Amino acid sequence: MNETVVIIGGGQAGAQTAVSLRKEGFSGAITLVCEEPVLPYQRPPLSKTYLAGELPKERLFIKPAAFYEKAKIDLLLGVRVNAIDTQQQRLALDNHQSLPYSHLVFATGGRVRPLHCPGIEHHHVHYLRTLADVDAMHDKFKPGKRLVIIGGGYVGLETAAVAVKHGLEVSVLVARPTALGRVTSKVVGQFFEQVHRSAGVNLQSNTDVECLQGNNEEVVLTTRGALLSADLVVVGIGLLPNVELAESADILCEDGINTDQYGRTSIANIYAAGDCANHPNAIYKRRMRLQSVQNAIDQAKTVAASICGKNKPYIQIPWFWSDQYDLKLQTAGVNTGYDEIVLRGDPETRSFAAFYLRAGRLLAVDAINRPAEFVAARNIINKNLVVSAARLSDESIAAKALASPQDTTSPT
Amino acid sequence: MIKVTYIDHAGTAREIEVEEGVDLMDVAVDNLVPGIDGDCGGVAACATCHVHVDPAWQDKLPPMGEEEDAMLELADDRNENSRLACQLKASPELDGLILHTPIGQH
């Protein structure tokens, strides 16, 4: 039988689906359709080492071009899917091609959430999602230039850290009360704010942009009645999942494209993985949509297995990382709904972990320069152990020992 | 050029010539060495480039960092020769190095 898998999207999830299909022994045709005109690449370095100019472009590519040739994976780069006919199992592409599929994978990812404020239509602001986005800011990303970053999430703060090191004059405007407010706690968010301020960043929380003015040379932002001039404005205020194509094909979408634990959508032979997918999480017992490399890779592996008839449910503890200055933040788990925070170590030392618990059970950790705590938390959550707050904060117990079952009481 | 040999769990050896300074995860991915994924892009965040270093070379390696040591706890078949390939760079002292890719990563 001539099976054909078509993957829409060439990010981490799309590329991994193709790779994993071959690893699972899939012998049919694989076509990956990607809107961006470049080989699939890793996004995390875009706001880190690539922006800093420390990583050559070739190193961003997930696999070299030769890999796809050898693995017989057809790449249609710079091509968009216009429409899907789920009855005929065919795609209409914007290059006028029509592509049949027996299995279709949505790895459509997300796009930057646009900033809306008066005056934005007259001024060029930059976003940071794609390789082209970073390359476009290259000319202005120079020592002495005034950079204003709108948004205090991972992308905004990572960009600020690179820019300050590079000699730019950096301001960060955070709409929420605390930076990293979507993903972490006040204590960790405030720690990062302090780190940025002491590095020389003008970081303002609770600060919205009211309007943009200026000329070709500079943008003048109004915030809380004050004026702030910029040579370069970078907006990082979140991601919107690309679901429109799926919705147009009547695939069930809520926040993202709904899947089951095998990556299958509401329509037969159609799957979704990565930033665009909303999955039922077995560990947290609710639906969630995650935006991370780990999730993209692991869901892609799940989808590839499903296509090959080997059902491997997606049961993974989410994890994330962020590099800023000399700090590596590693997060394991999702802290939503926590009722207790336990600190291990002193934030003043720039090395500590914040454990998030609900009803005495570990939900997540933010480990700052504490890889052993990150690993311990993954093991604790994985083994479903109960470790008391007193033990978690007790530095006389090695982090590694926190997850050893003999030292803890297992839940019944 | 520095020669590094990757041997997979089935015993298949792949000898690769590496430029000095290049990390041994990157070169494995570029040369399609099975068993080395490098999911995090080489920042010691994932342990998918776990290798067992041939014991004869153990003494010539740079010391393991705290982060690498911690991340290796996530690897299934860690032993005393375990390292993350992304933390090893090709150098003249490592010319001829032999790395084994663990079975769990295939």
Side-chain angles (χ1 to χ4, degrees), chain A residues 181-185 284 286 288 333-341 355-364:
Chain A
R182 183 182 68 84
V183 289
T184 190
S185 58
Y284 295 94
R286 63 182 175 85
M288 53 175 78
V334 175
N335 72 9
T336 309
Y338 68 87
D339 55 25
E340 187 179 6
I341 300 180
F355 292 96
Y356 301 92
L357 293 87
R358 184 173 58 203
R361 199 65 73 98
L362 186 64
L363 291 177

Side-chain angles (χ1 to χ4, degrees), chain A residues 23 42 59 62 64 67 70 293 297 319 321 328 330 371-372 374-375 378 400, chain B residues 26 29-30 32 37 39-41 43-46 66-67 70-71 73-74 105:
Chain A
K23 277 197 174 172
Q42 310 171 61
R59 288 258 60 91
I62 292 168
F67 170 85
K70 197 174 164 195
V293 168
I297 289 175
W319 58 266
W321 81 91
K328 170 168 269 182
Q330 291 173 291
F374 168 73
V375 170
R378 279 173 70 168
K400 211 189 265 190
Chain B
D26 280 339
V29 170
D30 284 358
L32 317 178
D37 288 341
D39 287 352
C40 74
V43 294
C46 71
E66 185 200 351
E67 189 168 32
M71 295 312 297
E73 286 296 306
L74 293 171
Q105 284 156 232

Side-chain angles (χ1 to χ4, degrees), chain A residues 3 12 68 72 80 100 103 147 164 178 183 214 219 224 243 255 268 284 289 293 295 299 322 356 359 371 374 406:
Chain A
E3 287 200 303
Q12 199 95 46
Y68 300 97
K72 295 198 165 52
R80 274 182 73 95
H103 301 273
L147 165 66
V164 158
T178 319
V183 289
V219 180
R224 297 211 248 170
V243 297
D255 171 29
Y284 295 94
R289 186 174 66 78
V293 168
N295 178 65
Q299 286 189 337
S322 177
Y356 301 92
F374 168 73
Q406 66 268 26

Side-chain angles (χ1 to χ4, degrees), chain A residues 72-356:
Chain A
K72 295 198 165 52
I73 296 165
D74 284 332
L75 300 178
L76 294 182
L77 303 179
V79 176
R80 274 182 73 95
V81 175
N82 280 342
I84 300 169
D85 181 337
T86 56
Q87 296 297 315
Q88 300 296 317
Q89 303 209 146
R90 270 191 173 274
L91 303 176
L93 308 181
D94 72 348
N95 63 5
H96 308 297
Q97 238 183 309
S98 163
L99 208 58
Y101 66 84
S102 34
H103 301 273
L104 178 65
V105 181
F106 277 86
T108 45
R111 59 184 181 279
V112 291
R113 183 189 298 276
L115 176 72
H116 297 291
C117 76
I120 193 153
E121 63 279 13
H122 304 301
H123 297 284
H124 187 60
V125 299
H126 292 258
Y127 291 87
L128 206 163
R129 173 71 181 167
T130 66
L131 187 51
D133 289 339
V134 181
D135 288 344
M137 63 177 79
H138 187 258
D139 285 348
K140 286 184 176 167
F141 202 83
K142 294 272 169 6
K145 294 284 185 190
R146 297 161 302 172
L147 165 66
V148 174
I149 297 165
I150 300 171
Y154 288 131
V155 166
L157 295 192
E158 288 171 1
T159 302
V162 171
V164 158
K165 268 170 74 179
H166 204 65
L168 282 82
E169 201 182 292
V170 184
S171 299
V172 177
L173 308 178
V174 184
R176 292 173 186 259
T178 319
L180 297 175
R182 183 182 68 84
V183 289
T184 190
S185 58
K186 200 171 161 186
V187 60
V188 173
Q190 286 180 340
F191 166 77
F192 276 97
E193 290 184 353
Q194 194 46 46
V195 165
H196 281 274
R197 289 194 180 113
S198 57
V201 174
N202 166 28
L203 187 145
Q204 302 176 25
S205 46
N206 275 321
T207 302
D208 278 315
V209 177
E210 284 144 32
C211 75
L212 299 182
Q213 292 167 293
N215 51 43
N216 284 339
E217 294 301 309
E218 64 172 15
V219 180
V220 180
L221 301 93
T222 306
T223 60
R224 297 211 248 170
L227 298 178
L228 190 60
S229 299
D231 302 299
L232 175 64
V233 176
V234 176
V235 179
I237 54 171
L239 197 73
L240 300 172
N242 288 327
V243 297
E244 290 74 7
L245 188 63
E247 282 175 339
S248 74
D250 290 328
I251 297 167
L252 178 65
C253 297
E254 286 172 324
D255 171 29
I257 303 169
N258 284 28
T259 71
D260 64 10
Q261 59 181 340
Y262 301 104
R264 300 178 297 204
T265 70
S266 61
I267 294 188
N269 302 323
I270 302 183
Y271 309 78
D275 290 2
C276 68
N278 179 326
H279 74 284
N281 190 282
I283 296 167
Y284 295 94
K285 307 213 169 17
R286 63 182 175 85
R287 284 200 157 271
M288 53 175 78
R289 186 174 66 78
L290 297 167
Q291 297 168 186
S292 74
V293 168
Q294 167 273 322
N295 178 65
I297 289 175
D298 289 331
Q299 286 189 337
K301 289 176 180 172
T302 293
V303 164
S306 297
I307 291 172
C308 294
K310 310 172 200 173
N311 285 350
K312 296 180 186 169
Y314 176 75
I315 305 173
Q316 299 285 340
I317 298 165
W319 58 266
F320 314 82
W321 81 91
S322 177
D323 298 323
Q324 297 170 38
Y325 310 104
D326 57 330
L327 303 175
K328 170 168 269 182
L329 165 65
Q330 291 173 291
T331 297
V334 175
N335 72 9
T336 309
Y338 68 87
D339 55 25
E340 187 179 6
I341 300 180
V342 178
L343 287 189
R344 181 180 171 90
D346 181 358
E348 290 287 313
T349 64
R350 295 167 83 93
S351 165
F352 70 103
F355 292 96
Y356 301 92

